[in-house]
Amino acid sequence: MPKNRSGGGLTATQQAAKFLGVAALSGVVLAGIALPAAGALGLATKGTVEGFDEIPANLRTPPLSQRTTILDSKGGMIASVYSRDRTVVELKDISPYMQKAIVAIEDARFYEHGAIDLKGILRALNRNVQEGGTAQGASTLTQQYVKNVFVEEAGDDPDKVAQATQQTMGRKIQELKYAIQVEENLGKKRILTNYLNITFFGQQAYGVEAASQRYFSKHAKDLTLEESALLAGIVQSPSRYDPVNDTAEATKRRNTVLQRMADVGDISQAEADKAKSNPIKLKVKKPQNGCITAVSGAGFFCDYVRQVFLSDPVFGKTKEDRAKVWNRGGLTVRTTLDPQSQQSVQSSIKSHVYKSDKVATAVTLVQPGTGKIMGMGQSKPYGFGPNETQYNYSVNKSMGGSNYGFPTGSTFKPFLAAAAIEGGKPATQIYPSPYEMDYPDTVQSCGKPWVNDGVPKYHLENESESEKGPYPLKVAMEKSVNTYFVQMLQDIGMCPVSKMTDKLGIVQGDGTKLPQNPSTLTLGSNGLSPLTMASAYAAFANRGTYCTPIAIESVKTADGTSLPIPKTTCSQAMSQTTADTINTLLRGVVDSGTGQEAGLQSRDNAGKTGTTDARKNAWFVGYTPNMSGAVWVGSPSQSVEMERITIGGVYQDKVYGGQVPGPIWRDAMTGALNGVTAPAFNTVNIPDPPERHGDGEDRGEGRGDDEDHGRPGPGGNKPGKKPGDKNPFPGMSIPPDLIGGNTGGRGGQTDGGAQGP
């Protein structure tokens, strides 16, 4: 029995190859190494046999990287993304001209020799000896295929690519051993097929199908003789023979291939001469790679899908595992994006905010009950040019968004109201709600109470002096009365609000939990993303059930295998009665409150406005029973105060949540829901109190918000009036300890560069 070495038992072919490697490889086969043949044989073979035997017997052939196609929910193309632009095809789908051309120019004896072409080696040796250098190579097509496998396995790692292409004795010996294995295991047709699919043709095209599409905008099976000869000629030096940038050089190389095809009998000399006389005719298709090519402004959604794939463990245990699957590509990713909704989002954005404006807008639509992201867009397009960005303003930092999200202003107030109602407070709850007041001395939290230790004490006020209570909840919500909600927080404490926001999936833009302080948990002073807000409000539309957002409906590999995907997780964040109560309250905001400009005419809808300190952010977040949407308008850098500003060609003296974001939301929702059923909300009866006050508006309700995130602002404490202690709305609940509560004078509002408590 022959003794098996680490590489396995040797066949007759392998024995011949070993002999070749021992006797001549050092100078003959290495035609690609810049060594003269004379003297190279002197390198001889010390250790070569042992090195040959130690090489593993099986060549690892990783799946070829291909393009991944991202589709919308209806199957329409969003974008193609790839590490390498490649579409793998079978030999029957490659023009016979192409098959003959590549063999003729790269390895004319391909079908006659094994893994090693001894005649070719001797020919190369003779030529190199004559010229005193390395003028001609002798690698077979099989060896070239093996080298390409090494390069493919190296991926985009420059060090590994360098190792895969290094011209050394050891590398050539390794190629030889694997070439022997490949010849025995695959056969000529499969080797040719694999080679034509793996090799690089320039212009970012890997494989003959991608090359055919890039240069001629056609399938590889339809390539003509001249076109096939051109592509075959490119392989030797894609940059030198690039027909896009050097037609003359590419023509010479094409004609060389045509003549070689005639010399080996693949075509007649007459056919070759006729083809040579024809000029190169290209129909170049520009590379279409990445989310920058996405249709309907869906570049940011496309990038969000990529971020989901790279971050969710369902696609691989480690980040490296997930990246390997994504970069290998060949996937068909069907997403949740609804083309009608996306088109409506983009149309609304373009109508209201220009990409050249000082401020931007971001819009996200989510389907209640499923968590599906239906639309996502922004006014600054996805790209690298002026007024473009790669930051997705709709999502958190970890998914490609801004560092912190954006302060939400009074759009946060419904979460506080939901926590209070869930805890037993009636929808008719009344608080004194003075025009201005100090923050409470202490507010209970889940741990140590918050203390108003500002010197002077932290202070807040409503936008309009006409906004002074007492107010019941319904009116306070419609008018967005700041002091009402601070008094509500004092009454119930911060812990119920924190627990409610946790159930609604609310985290800051940087992924951290909301801090427990009155400014954050009443007036929305901390940054959140539009996707977070739209998903949280969707729980109100879904009668209290919160569903985590999802973007992917299915993923299939190149062979049609379905991969596991992330699923939405739904949980009851509040009782149905609480959600129905919030729906009733927020319906009043669009019917008769600060959100009237956002209201939809033909279906039940509800929502809330929000405007932050110094008008650096304006929001409208609203929903119908079957769609939830969030709209943010502001400066991504939080450096623009939206007063006396032109947005979308319209001059705005002061921007309010209901005034600019509201109409964007209205138009986006109208188009998205066109032709969609219009179910009604489940509502509750909330008695209307007698009308007592003027028509105060929602202006600047996020006092204390700015880009500084977490630094308390200055306060003021002047003597002020005390409201009366009589309940003006008999039969409605009003806490006796808050009647006549201490109020301070004006002077404690934050200063546009600092944050309230």
Side-chain angles (χ1 to χ4, degrees), residues 685-706:
N685 180 40
I686 303 175
D688 288 323
E691 192 67 36
R692 297 181 65 254
H693 299 288
D695 56 350
E697 293 180 300
D698 174 37
R699 300 179 182 131
E701 58 271 36
R703 295 288 178 185
D705 298 348
D706 61 28

Side-chain angles (χ1 to χ4, degrees), residues 69-380:
T69 302
I70 301 178
L71 307 175
D72 61 33
S73 63
K74 306 298 184 184
M77 170 79 78
I78 294 177
S80 288
V81 297
Y82 48 81
S83 173
R84 292 179 176 175
D85 185 11
R86 176 189 283 119
T87 301
V88 176
V89 293
E90 292 298 325
L91 200 61
K92 64 181 179 61
D93 294 317
I94 301 173
S95 166
Y97 286 126
M98 185 68 218
Q99 299 176 41
K100 292 177 181 179
I102 200 71
V103 170
I105 196 63
E106 291 297 321
D107 186 1
R109 287 172 34 80
F110 174 63
Y111 292 106
E112 300 170 26
H113 61 67
I116 302 157
D117 182 8
L118 185 57
K119 287 185 179 180
I121 290 171
L122 295 175
R123 183 182 65 249
L125 174 61
N126 182 59
R127 178 77 176 274
N128 293 344
V129 168
Q130 289 177 353
E131 301 193 10
T134 304
Q136 190 173 73
S139 292
T140 64
L141 199 112
T142 306
Q143 289 172 264
Q144 293 179 49
Y145 166 64
V146 170
K147 180 187 292 185
N148 275 291
V149 170
F150 293 154
V151 173
E152 184 72 20
E153 189 175 19
D156 296 323
D157 186 319
D159 293 333
K160 291 182 179 179
V161 171
Q163 292 175 14
T165 56
Q166 61 184 343
Q167 293 292 291
T168 65
M169 183 79 70
R171 176 61 66 181
K172 279 295 183 180
I173 292 172
Q174 191 177 40
E175 286 179 10
L176 273 175
K177 181 164 186 177
Y178 285 140
I180 293 168
Q181 173 210 332
V182 166
E183 284 274 352
E184 291 189 345
N185 293 345
L186 298 185
K188 295 295 187 180
K189 287 188 176 181
R190 176 49 58 184
I191 291 171
L192 179 60
T193 303
N194 290 0
Y195 178 81
L196 285 169
N197 278 303
I198 199 172
T199 197
F200 180 51
F201 288 87
Q203 290 286 324
Q204 301 181 31
Y206 288 82
V208 67
E209 176 68 17
S212 183
Q213 292 288 349
R214 179 76 74 252
Y215 295 109
F216 304 113
S217 299
K218 62 169 59 175
H219 292 295
K221 65 181 179 180
D222 299 322
L223 289 169
T224 65
L225 171 60
E226 299 100 289
E227 293 166 346
S228 297
L230 177 68
L231 293 186
I234 290 173
V235 171
Q236 187 182 80
S237 180
S239 58
R240 178 180 177 183
Y241 301 124
D242 181 357
V244 176
N245 296 309
D246 195 335
T247 303
E249 195 69 18
T251 300
K252 291 179 184 178
R253 179 63 177 168
R254 180 203 66 175
N255 292 348
T256 297
V257 175
L258 289 168
Q259 185 58 52
R260 183 61 176 161
M261 293 178 73
D263 291 344
V264 299
D266 287 333
I267 58 175
S268 67
Q269 188 61 53
E271 287 177 302
D273 292 341
K274 180 180 179 181
K276 289 179 189 178
S277 66
N278 293 328
I280 289 176
K281 296 180 181 179
L282 301 177
K283 188 177 181 182
V284 178
K285 182 184 293 184
K286 291 183 179 180
Q288 294 292 307
N289 179 27
C291 294
I292 197 170
T293 66
V295 301
S296 300
F300 296 101
F301 177 79
C302 169
D303 189 67
Y304 179 78
V305 169
R306 182 181 70 87
Q307 296 283 0
V308 169
F309 198 102
L310 295 176
S311 62
D312 199 299
V314 75
F315 295 115
K317 291 183 179 180
T318 68
K319 182 179 180 181
E320 290 73 21
D321 291 339
R322 297 187 290 271
K324 185 177 293 185
V325 175
W326 181 261
N327 291 333
R328 187 168 66 226
L331 306 173
T332 300
V333 182
R334 195 174 186 117
T335 71
T336 61
L337 195 75
D338 174 56
Q340 177 177 322
S341 298
Q342 181 64 20
Q343 186 61 47
S344 183
V345 165
Q346 286 303 116
S347 177
S348 180
I349 289 172
K350 290 181 179 179
S351 297
H352 294 282
V353 182
Y354 298 158
K355 71 176 187 178
S356 58
D357 287 342
K358 292 181 179 179
V359 296
T361 186
V363 182
T364 300
L365 304 182
V366 173
Q367 188 177 66
T370 67
K372 293 180 179 180
I373 301 172
M374 307 292 280
M376 179 182 288
Q378 62 192 50
S379 57
K380 302 290 185 185

Side-chain angles (χ1 to χ4, degrees), residues 388-400:
E388 296 178 342
T389 183
Q390 287 185 288
Y391 285 101
N392 185 347
Y393 303 144
S394 286
V395 302
N396 290 344
K397 177 182 178 181
S398 64
M399 303 303 285

Side-chain angles (χ1 to χ4, degrees), residues 714-725:
N717 190 14
K718 297 181 181 180
K721 298 178 181 179
K722 294 184 178 181
D725 60 1

Side-chain angles (χ1 to χ4, degrees), residues 490-501:
Q490 179 189 12
D491 191 9
I492 71 170
M494 293 186 288
C495 199
V497 186
S498 292
K499 291 180 178 179
M500 177 60 68
T501 56

